[in-house]
Amino acid sequence: MYTLPSASDATRNHLLCALPRTELEHMLPQLQPVTFLLGQVVYEPSERIGYCYFPTDCVVSLVYTMQDGTTAEMGLVGNEGVLGVALFLGGESTCSRAIVRVAGVALRFPAKLLQEEFEHSRPLQLLLLRYTQSLLTQISQTAVCNRLHSVEQRLCRWLLLCHDRRNRSELLMTQELIDR
C-alpha cells in the first residue's frame, strides 16, 4: 500500500525543507518515496526524464561517458539537492548517467509537474536556480580536483562529499563503485 510522504519525510531533503510550508504542502501529494539500490542507474544519457528525484538519504553520482567508453564523475547529488536539473532548465534529457553510489531513499516527482511548478512558483524557481548554481560550482571544483590532486586527495574529497549528503554517518559502498 502506498502512503504519501509526510512533511517530515520531505524535509529530509534540504531543498524541500527550504520551501515555504504552503509550497511544500502543495507538492506533497505528488511526492512518492522510492528506494534506490547500490549501483542502480537512475538516468541514462539522452533518455527522456520522467521524474526528478529529491534524495533523502541516498547519494547519486553524475557520470559522463566518453565515446571510447571511459567515464568521469562530474558531481554528486544527495539530500542537499535534486536529480533532473535539465527538466526545469528546459531540457528533456541529460548528458550524464546517474548512478546510485550510496543506497537509500529519494522522493520522486513527475517531470511535467515539476516544469509546471517551476513556471508558477517563484519560491521553488529561485530555490532550484540557486541549487543549479551550487551544482555547477561543485562540477567545476570536481574538474579542478581531478586534474590537480592526487588519488588519495580525490578519494578523501569524494568520501567527505558523500558523508555530507547523508543523514547518517555510515557509508556502505563497494570499491568497484568508488573506482568508476
Side-chain angles (χ1 to χ4, degrees), residues 18-20 23 120-130:
L19 283 173
E23 299 287 327
H120 298 104
S121 169
R122 184 75 173 147
L124 179 65
Q125 185 181 84
L126 292 174
L127 190 64
L128 292 177
L129 289 174
R130 280 194 303 262

Side-chain angles (χ1 to χ4, degrees), residues 2 27-32 43 49-54 87 107-118:
Y2 171 71
M27 291 176 67
L28 274 176
Q30 298 301 323
L31 288 166
Q32 180 182 16
Y43 297 137
I49 298 173
Y51 296 92
C52 70
Y53 296 90
F54 295 91
L87 289 171
L107 299 172
R108 79 177 186 181
F109 195 76
K112 185 163 180 54
L113 290 178
L114 180 70
Q115 291 165 331
E116 291 171 8
E117 291 296 323
F118 185 80

Side-chain angles (χ1 to χ4, degrees), residues 109-173:
F109 195 76
K112 185 163 180 54
L113 290 178
L114 180 70
Q115 291 165 331
E116 291 171 8
E117 291 296 323
F118 185 80
E119 287 180 28
H120 298 104
S121 169
R122 184 75 173 147
L124 179 65
Q125 185 181 84
L126 292 174
L127 190 64
L128 292 177
L129 289 174
R130 280 194 303 262
Y131 171 71
T132 302
Q133 181 181 11
S134 74
L135 182 62
L136 290 172
T137 300
Q138 180 198 152
I139 290 169
S140 300
Q141 289 173 338
T142 298
V144 171
C145 179
N146 287 344
R147 170 67 177 92
L148 300 176
H149 296 146
S150 69
V151 171
E152 292 83 7
Q153 289 171 316
R154 292 192 315 255
L155 176 61
C156 288
R157 179 181 184 277
W158 190 84
L159 289 171
L160 287 170
L161 285 171
C162 283
H163 182 268
D164 289 347
R165 283 155 178 75
R166 296 269 297 166
N167 289 322
R168 291 180 240 151
S169 293
E170 75 225 9
L171 295 173
L172 302 173
M173 58 190 67

